[in-house]
Coordinates of all heavy atoms in Angstrom, one line a residue:
M1 N 79.4 25.5 108.0 CA 78.9 25.7 109.5 C 80.1 25.0 110.3 O 80.5 23.9 110.1 CB 77.7 25.2 109.8 CG 77.2 25.7 111.1 SD 75.5 25.0 111.6 CE 74.4 25.6 110.4
S2 N 80.6 25.8 111.2 CA 81.7 25.3 112.2 C 81.0 24.2 113.0 O 79.8 24.0 113.2 CB 82.2 26.3 113.1 OG 81.2 26.6 114.1
Q3 N 82.0 23.4 113.5 CA 81.6 22.2 114.5 C 80.7 22.6 115.6 O 79.8 22.2 116.0 CB 82.8 21.3 114.8 CG 82.3 20.2 115.6 CD 83.4 19.3 116.1 OE1 84.6 19.6 115.7 NE2 83.1 18.3 116.8
T4 N 81.2 23.8 116.3 CA 80.6 24.3 117.3 C 79.2 24.7 117.0 O 78.3 24.4 117.7 CB 81.4 25.5 118.0 OG1 82.6 25.0 118.3 CG2 80.7 26.0 119.2
A5 N 79.0 25.4 116.0 CA 77.7 25.9 115.6 C 76.8 24.7 115.3 O 75.5 24.8 115.7 CB 77.8 26.8 114.3
T6 N 77.4 23.6 114.6 CA 76.6 22.4 114.5 C 76.1 21.8 115.6 O 74.9 21.4 115.8 CB 77.2 21.5 113.6 OG1 77.7 22.0 112.4 CG2 76.5 20.2 113.1
E7 N 77.0 21.7 116.6 CA 76.6 21.2 117.9 C 75.5 21.9 118.6 O 74.7 21.3 119.2 CB 77.7 20.9 118.8 CG 78.9 19.9 118.3 CD 80.1 19.8 119.1 OE1 80.2 20.7 120.0 OE2 80.9 19.0 118.9
N8 N 75.7 23.2 118.6 CA 74.6 24.0 119.2 C 73.2 23.9 118.7 O 72.2 24.1 119.3 CB 75.2 25.6 119.1 CG 76.2 25.9 120.0 OD1 76.5 25.1 121.0 ND2 76.9 26.9 119.8
T9 N 73.1 23.7 117.3 CA 71.9 23.5 116.7 C 71.3 22.1 116.5 O 70.2 22.0 116.6 CB 71.9 24.2 115.3 OG1 72.8 23.5 114.5 CG2 72.2 25.8 115.3
Q10 N 72.1 21.2 116.4 CA 71.8 19.9 116.2 C 72.0 19.0 117.5 O 71.5 17.9 117.6 CB 72.5 19.2 115.1 CG 72.2 19.9 113.7 CD 73.1 19.3 112.7 OE1 73.9 18.5 112.8 NE2 72.7 19.7 111.4
G11 N 72.8 19.3 118.5 CA 73.1 18.6 119.6 C 74.2 17.5 119.5 O 74.4 17.1 118.4
D12 N 75.0 17.4 120.4 CA 76.1 16.5 120.3 C 75.9 15.2 120.9 O 76.7 14.3 121.1 CB 77.5 17.2 120.7 CG 77.5 17.5 122.4 OD1 76.3 17.2 122.9 OD2 78.4 18.0 122.8
G13 N 74.7 15.0 121.5 CA 74.4 13.7 122.2 C 74.8 13.8 123.7 O 74.3 12.9 124.4
T14 N 75.5 14.7 124.1 CA 75.8 14.8 125.5 C 74.7 15.3 126.4 O 74.0 16.2 126.0 CB 77.1 15.7 125.8 OG1 78.1 15.4 125.0 CG2 77.5 15.8 127.2
L15 N 74.6 14.5 127.6 CA 73.5 15.0 128.5 C 74.1 15.9 129.5 O 75.3 15.6 129.9 CB 72.9 13.8 129.1 CG 72.0 13.0 128.2 CD1 71.5 11.8 129.0 CD2 70.8 13.8 127.6
Y16 N 73.5 17.0 129.9 CA 73.9 17.9 130.9 C 73.0 18.0 132.1 O 71.8 17.6 131.9 CB 74.0 19.3 130.3 CG 75.0 19.3 129.1 CD1 74.6 19.0 127.8 CD2 76.5 19.7 129.3 CE1 75.5 19.1 126.7 CE2 77.3 19.7 128.2 CZ 76.9 19.4 127.0 OH 77.8 19.5 126.0
V17 N 73.5 18.7 133.1 CA 72.7 19.1 134.3 C 72.9 20.5 134.5 O 74.0 21.1 134.3 CB 73.0 18.1 135.6 CG1 72.5 16.8 135.4 CG2 74.4 18.3 136.0
V18 N 71.8 21.1 135.1 CA 72.1 22.6 135.4 C 72.6 22.3 136.9 O 72.1 21.7 137.7 CB 70.7 23.3 135.5 CG1 70.9 24.6 136.1 CG2 70.2 23.3 134.1
V19 N 73.6 23.2 137.2 CA 74.2 23.3 138.4 C 74.3 24.6 139.0 O 74.3 25.6 138.2 CB 75.8 22.7 138.4 CG1 75.7 21.2 138.0 CG2 76.6 23.5 137.4
T20 N 74.3 24.8 140.4 CA 74.4 26.0 140.9 C 75.5 26.0 142.0 O 75.7 24.9 142.6 CB 73.0 26.4 141.4 OG1 72.6 25.6 142.6 CG2 71.9 26.7 140.6
N21 N 75.9 27.2 142.4 CA 77.0 27.3 143.5 C 76.4 27.9 144.7 O 75.2 28.4 144.6 CB 78.3 27.8 143.1 CG 78.1 29.3 142.6 OD1 77.1 30.0 142.8 ND2 79.1 29.8 141.8
H22 N 77.1 28.3 145.7 CA 76.6 28.9 146.9 C 76.2 30.3 146.7 O 75.5 31.0 147.5 CB 77.8 28.8 148.0 CG 78.9 29.7 147.7 ND1 79.8 29.4 146.7 CD2 79.2 31.0 148.2 CE1 80.7 30.4 146.6 NE2 80.3 31.4 147.5
E23 N 76.6 30.9 145.6 CA 76.1 32.2 145.2 C 74.9 32.3 144.3 O 74.5 33.3 143.8 CB 77.2 33.0 144.6 CG 78.2 33.5 145.5 CD 78.0 34.6 146.4 OE1 76.8 35.2 146.3 OE2 78.8 35.0 147.2
D24 N 74.3 31.0 144.1 CA 73.2 30.8 143.2 C 73.5 31.2 141.8 O 72.5 31.6 141.0 CB 71.9 31.7 143.7 CG 70.6 31.1 143.2 OD1 70.5 29.9 142.9 OD2 69.7 32.0 143.1
Q25 N 74.6 31.1 141.4 CA 75.1 31.2 140.1 C 74.7 29.9 139.3 O 75.1 28.9 139.9 CB 76.5 31.6 139.9 CG 76.7 33.0 140.4 CD 78.1 33.3 140.6 OE1 79.0 32.5 141.2 NE2 78.5 34.7 140.2
H26 N 74.3 29.8 138.1 CA 74.0 28.7 137.4 C 75.0 28.4 136.2 O 75.6 29.3 135.7 CB 72.6 28.9 136.6 CG 71.4 29.0 137.7 ND1 71.4 29.9 138.7 CD2 70.3 28.3 137.6 CE1 70.3 29.7 139.3 NE2 69.7 28.7 138.8
S27 N 75.0 27.1 135.8 CA 75.8 26.8 134.7 C 75.3 25.4 134.3 O 74.5 24.8 134.9 CB 77.3 26.7 135.2 OG 78.2 26.4 134.0
I28 N 75.9 24.9 133.2 CA 75.6 23.5 132.8 C 76.8 22.7 133.0 O 78.0 23.3 132.9 CB 75.0 23.4 131.3 CG1 76.1 23.9 130.3 CG2 73.7 24.1 131.3 CD1 75.5 23.6 128.9
W29 N 76.6 21.4 133.1 CA 77.8 20.5 133.3 C 77.4 19.2 132.8 O 76.2 18.7 132.9 CB 78.0 20.3 134.9 CG 79.3 19.7 135.2 CD1 79.4 18.3 135.7 CD2 80.5 20.2 135.2 NE1 80.8 18.2 135.9 CE2 81.5 19.2 135.7 CE3 81.0 21.5 134.9 CZ2 82.9 19.4 135.8 CZ3 82.4 21.7 135.0 CH2 83.2 20.7 135.4
P30 N 78.4 18.6 132.1 CA 78.2 17.3 131.6 C 77.7 16.2 132.6 O 78.3 16.2 133.7 CB 79.5 16.8 131.1 CG 80.2 18.1 130.7 CD 79.8 19.0 131.8
A31 N 76.6 15.6 132.4 CA 75.9 14.7 133.5 C 76.8 13.5 133.8 O 76.7 13.0 135.0 CB 74.6 14.3 133.0
H32 N 77.8 13.1 132.9 CA 78.7 11.9 133.2 C 79.8 12.2 134.0 O 80.5 11.4 134.4 CB 79.0 11.3 131.9 CG 79.8 12.0 131.0 ND1 79.4 13.0 130.2 CD2 81.3 12.1 130.9 CE1 80.5 13.6 129.6 NE2 81.5 13.1 130.0
R33 N 80.1 13.5 134.2 CA 81.3 14.0 135.0 C 80.9 14.3 136.4 O 79.8 14.7 136.7 CB 81.9 15.1 134.4 CG 82.4 14.8 133.0 CD 83.1 16.0 132.4 NE 84.4 16.3 133.3 CZ 84.9 17.4 133.1 NH1 84.7 18.3 132.2 NH2 86.0 17.6 133.9
D34 N 81.8 14.0 137.3 CA 81.7 14.4 138.8 C 81.4 15.9 138.8 O 82.2 16.6 138.1 CB 82.9 14.0 139.6 CG 83.0 12.4 139.8 OD1 81.9 11.8 139.6 OD2 84.1 12.0 140.0
L35 N 80.7 16.3 139.7 CA 80.4 17.7 139.9 C 81.7 18.4 140.6 O 82.4 17.7 141.4 CB 79.3 18.0 140.8 CG 77.8 17.7 140.2 CD1 76.8 18.0 141.1 CD2 77.6 18.2 138.8
P36 N 82.1 19.7 140.1 CA 83.1 20.3 140.7 C 82.7 20.8 142.3 O 81.5 20.8 142.6 CB 83.3 21.6 139.9 CG 82.2 21.7 139.1 CD 81.4 20.4 139.0
D37 N 83.7 20.9 143.0 CA 83.4 21.1 144.5 C 82.8 22.5 144.6 O 82.9 23.5 143.8 CB 84.7 21.4 145.2 CG 85.5 20.1 145.4 OD1 84.8 19.1 145.4 OD2 86.6 20.1 145.6
G38 N 81.7 22.4 145.5 CA 80.9 23.7 145.6 C 79.7 23.8 144.7 O 78.9 24.8 144.8
W39 N 79.4 22.9 143.7 CA 78.3 23.1 142.8 C 77.4 21.9 143.2 O 77.8 20.8 143.4 CB 78.9 23.0 141.3 CG 79.6 24.2 141.1 CD1 81.0 24.4 141.2 CD2 79.1 25.2 140.4 NE1 81.3 25.6 140.9 CE2 80.2 26.2 140.2 CE3 77.8 25.7 139.8 CZ2 80.0 27.4 139.5 CZ3 77.8 26.9 139.2 CH2 78.8 27.8 139.0
R40 N 76.1 22.1 143.0 CA 75.0 21.0 143.1 C 74.1 21.0 141.9 O 73.8 22.1 141.3 CB 74.2 21.5 144.4 CG 74.9 21.6 145.6 CD 74.1 22.0 146.8 NE 72.7 21.5 146.7 CZ 71.7 21.9 147.5 NH1 72.0 22.9 148.5 NH2 70.5 21.3 147.5
A41 N 73.8 19.8 141.6 CA 73.0 19.6 140.4 C 71.5 19.9 140.7 O 71.1 19.7 141.9 CB 72.9 18.0 140.0
R42 N 70.8 20.7 139.8 CA 69.5 21.2 140.0 C 68.5 20.5 139.2 O 67.2 20.7 139.3 CB 69.5 22.7 140.0 CG 70.3 23.5 140.9 CD 69.8 23.1 142.4 NE 70.5 23.9 143.3 CZ 70.2 24.1 144.5 NH1 69.0 23.3 145.0 NH2 70.8 24.7 145.4
T43 N 68.9 19.8 138.2 CA 67.9 19.3 137.2 C 68.4 17.8 136.9 O 69.5 17.5 137.1 CB 67.9 20.1 135.9 OG1 69.3 20.0 135.2 CG2 67.5 21.4 136.1
P44 N 67.5 17.1 136.3 CA 67.9 15.7 135.8 C 68.6 15.9 134.6 O 68.6 17.1 134.0 CB 66.5 15.0 135.6 CG 65.5 16.2 135.6 CD 66.0 17.3 136.3
A45 N 69.4 15.0 134.1 CA 70.1 15.0 132.9 C 69.2 15.3 131.7 O 68.1 14.7 131.6 CB 70.9 13.6 132.6
A46 N 69.7 16.2 130.8 CA 68.9 16.6 129.6 C 69.8 17.0 128.6 O 71.0 17.2 129.0 CB 67.9 17.7 130.1
D47 N 69.2 17.4 127.4 CA 70.2 17.9 126.4 C 70.6 19.3 126.7 O 70.0 20.0 127.5 CB 69.4 17.9 125.0 CG 68.2 18.7 124.9 OD1 68.2 20.0 124.6 OD2 67.1 18.1 125.3
R48 N 71.5 19.8 126.0 CA 72.2 21.1 126.3 C 71.0 22.3 126.2 O 71.1 23.1 127.1 CB 73.2 21.3 125.3 CG 74.0 22.7 125.5 CD 75.2 22.9 124.5 NE 76.0 23.9 124.7 CZ 75.8 25.0 124.3 NH1 74.7 25.4 123.6 NH2 76.6 26.1 124.7
Q49 N 70.2 22.2 125.1 CA 69.4 23.4 125.0 C 68.3 23.4 126.1 O 67.9 24.4 126.5 CB 68.6 23.3 123.5 CG 67.8 24.6 123.3 CD 68.7 25.8 123.3 OE1 69.7 25.9 122.7 NE2 68.3 26.8 124.3
T50 N 67.9 22.3 126.5 CA 66.8 22.1 127.7 C 67.5 22.7 128.9 O 66.7 23.5 129.6 CB 66.4 20.6 127.9 OG1 65.8 20.3 126.7 CG2 65.6 20.6 129.0
C51 N 68.8 22.4 129.2 CA 69.4 23.0 130.4 C 69.5 24.6 130.2 O 69.3 25.4 131.1 CB 70.7 22.4 130.5 SG 70.5 20.6 131.1
L52 N 69.9 25.0 129.1 CA 70.0 26.5 128.9 C 68.8 27.2 129.0 O 68.6 28.3 129.5 CB 70.7 26.7 127.5 CG 72.1 26.2 127.3 CD1 72.6 26.6 125.8 CD2 73.0 27.1 128.3
D53 N 67.7 26.5 128.4 CA 66.3 27.0 128.6 C 65.9 27.2 130.1 O 65.3 28.1 130.5 CB 65.2 26.2 127.8 CG 65.4 26.3 126.4 OD1 66.1 27.3 125.8 OD2 64.7 25.5 125.6
H54 N 66.2 26.2 130.8 CA 66.0 26.1 132.3 C 66.7 27.3 132.9 O 66.1 28.1 133.8 CB 66.4 24.8 133.0 CG 66.2 24.6 134.4 ND1 65.0 24.4 135.0 CD2 67.1 25.1 135.3 CE1 65.3 24.5 136.3 NE2 66.4 24.9 136.6
I55 N 67.9 27.4 132.6 CA 68.7 28.6 133.2 C 68.1 29.9 132.8 O 67.8 30.9 133.6 CB 70.2 28.6 132.7 CG1 70.8 27.4 133.4 CG2 70.9 29.9 133.1 CD1 72.3 27.1 132.9
A56 N 67.7 30.1 131.6 CA 67.0 31.4 131.2 C 65.8 31.6 131.9 O 65.4 32.8 132.1 CB 66.8 31.4 129.6
E57 N 65.0 30.6 132.1 CA 63.8 30.9 132.9 C 64.0 30.9 134.4 O 63.2 31.9 134.9 CB 62.9 29.5 132.7 CG 61.5 29.6 133.3 CD 60.8 28.4 133.1 OE1 61.0 27.6 132.1 OE2 59.8 28.2 133.9
H58 N 64.9 30.4 135.1 CA 65.0 30.4 136.5 C 66.2 31.4 136.9 O 66.1 31.8 138.2 CB 65.3 28.9 137.0 CG 64.0 28.0 136.8 ND1 63.9 27.3 135.7 CD2 63.1 27.9 137.6 CE1 62.8 26.6 135.8 NE2 62.3 27.0 136.9
W59 N 67.1 31.7 136.3 CA 68.2 32.6 136.7 C 68.0 34.0 136.1 O 68.7 34.4 135.2 CB 69.5 32.0 136.4 CG 70.8 32.7 137.1 CD1 70.7 33.2 138.2 CD2 72.1 32.7 136.5 NE1 72.1 33.8 138.6 CE2 72.8 33.4 137.4 CE3 72.6 32.2 135.3 CZ2 74.3 33.5 137.4 CZ3 74.0 32.3 135.2 CH2 74.8 33.1 136.2
T60 N 67.1 34.6 136.7 CA 66.6 36.0 136.1 C 67.5 37.2 136.6 O 67.4 38.2 136.1 CB 65.1 36.2 136.4 OG1 64.7 36.0 137.7 CG2 64.4 35.1 135.6
D61 N 68.0 37.0 137.8 CA 68.8 38.0 138.5 C 70.2 37.4 138.6 O 70.6 36.5 139.4 CB 68.4 38.3 139.9 CG 69.0 39.6 140.5 OD1 70.1 39.9 140.0 OD2 68.3 40.1 141.4
M62 N 71.1 37.9 137.7 CA 72.4 37.3 137.7 C 73.3 37.8 138.7 O 74.6 37.3 138.7 CB 73.0 37.4 136.3 CG 72.2 36.9 135.2 SD 73.0 37.1 133.6 CE 73.7 35.4 133.4
R63 N 73.0 38.6 139.5 CA 73.8 39.0 140.7 C 74.0 38.0 141.6 O 73.2 37.2 141.9 CB 73.3 40.3 141.5 CG 73.1 41.6 140.5 CD 72.3 42.6 141.4 NE 71.0 42.1 141.5 CZ 70.2 42.6 142.5 NH1 70.5 43.6 143.3 NH2 69.0 42.2 142.8
P64 N 75.3 37.8 142.1 CA 75.5 36.9 143.2 C 74.6 37.0 144.4 O 74.1 38.1 144.8 CB 77.0 37.1 143.6 CG 77.6 37.8 142.5 CD 76.5 38.7 141.9
K65 N 74.3 35.9 145.0 CA 73.2 35.9 146.1 C 73.7 36.8 147.1 O 73.0 37.6 147.8 CB 73.2 34.5 146.8 CG 72.1 34.3 147.8 CD 72.2 33.0 148.3 CE 71.2 32.7 149.4 NZ 71.1 31.3 149.8
S66 N 75.0 36.9 147.5 CA 75.5 37.8 148.6 C 75.3 39.3 148.3 O 74.9 40.0 149.2 CB 77.0 37.5 148.9 OG 77.7 37.6 147.8
L67 N 75.4 39.6 147.0 CA 75.1 40.9 146.6 C 73.6 41.4 146.6 O 73.3 42.4 147.3 CB 75.7 41.1 145.2 CG 75.4 42.6 144.6 CD1 76.0 43.6 145.6 CD2 75.8 42.8 143.2
R68 N 72.8 40.5 146.3 CA 71.4 40.6 146.3 C 70.9 40.8 147.8 O 70.2 41.7 148.2 CB 70.7 39.6 145.7 CG 70.8 39.4 144.2 CD 69.8 38.3 143.6 NE 69.6 37.2 144.3 CZ 70.4 36.0 144.0 NH1 71.0 35.9 143.0 NH2 70.0 34.9 144.7
E69 N 71.5 39.9 148.8 CA 71.2 40.0 150.1 C 71.6 41.3 150.7 O 70.9 41.9 151.5 CB 71.6 38.8 151.0 CG 71.0 37.5 150.5 CD 71.6 36.2 151.1 OE1 72.7 36.3 151.7 OE2 71.1 35.3 151.0
R70 N 72.8 41.7 150.3 CA 73.4 42.9 150.9 C 72.6 44.2 150.5 O 72.4 45.1 151.3 CB 74.9 43.1 150.5 CG 75.6 44.2 151.1 CD 77.1 44.1 150.7 NE 77.4 43.7 149.5 CZ 78.2 42.8 149.1 NH1 79.0 42.1 150.0 NH2 78.5 42.3 147.9
E71 N 72.2 44.1 149.3 CA 71.3 45.3 148.7 C 70.0 45.3 149.4 O 69.3 46.4 149.4 CB 71.3 45.2 147.2 CG 72.4 45.5 146.6 CD 72.4 45.4 145.0 OE1 71.3 45.0 144.6 OE2 73.3 45.8 144.4
H72 N 69.3 44.2 150.0 CA 68.1 44.3 150.7 C 68.2 44.5 152.1 O 67.1 44.6 152.8 CB 67.4 43.0 150.3 CG 66.9 42.8 149.0 ND1 67.5 42.2 148.0 CD2 65.8 43.5 148.4 CE1 66.9 42.3 146.9 NE2 65.8 43.1 147.0
R73 N 69.4 44.7 152.6 CA 69.5 44.9 154.1 C 69.2 46.4 154.3 O 69.5 47.4 153.5 CB 70.9 44.8 154.6 CG 71.3 43.2 154.6 CD 72.7 43.0 155.1 NE 73.0 41.7 154.9 CZ 74.3 41.3 154.7 NH1 75.3 42.1 154.8 NH2 74.6 40.0 154.5
P74 N 68.5 46.7 155.5 CA 68.3 48.1 155.8 C 69.4 48.9 156.2 O 70.5 48.5 156.5 CB 67.3 48.1 157.0 CG 67.4 46.6 157.4 CD 68.0 45.9 156.4

């Protein structure tokens, strides 16, 4: 098994946070690193899979926020 596959199934010990940007797009980010400009932490630090599960549950519409809003205008 490759190292990446091993890390994905067993965890590498790194804690992550779920982050979102102004378009409500989600990602994970290592909790020990400063957040990139324009991104906000949305969860407490957790293992990678917990963060990915959070994204799968909460980011159900992957269209950027501006597109969703534009499509709902009369």
Side-chain angles (χ1 to χ4, degrees):
M1 189 180 306
S2 72
Q3 181 178 358
T4 303
T6 301
E7 289 174 357
N8 287 340
T9 59
Q10 297 177 352
D12 64 0
T14 302
L15 292 177
Y16 297 89
V17 292
V18 174
V19 294
T20 58
N21 65 14
H22 70 284
E23 288 285 0
D24 200 29
Q25 295 168 313
H26 292 56
S27 188
I28 62 172
W29 191 256
H32 66 277
R33 296 187 60 196
D34 291 338
L35 295 178
D37 290 341
W39 292 83
R40 294 176 41 190
R42 296 296 184 176
T43 63
D47 63 86
R48 183 177 188 275
Q49 190 58 54
T50 298
C51 290
L52 293 175
D53 292 344
H54 177 89
I55 290 172
E57 181 179 341
H58 292 94
W59 192 24
T60 57
D61 187 344
M62 297 182 107
R63 295 174 298 161
K65 182 179 179 180
S66 59
L67 177 61
R68 292 190 318 260
E69 290 173 348
R70 189 172 34 232
E71 289 180 351
H72 285 100
R73 290 183 193 150

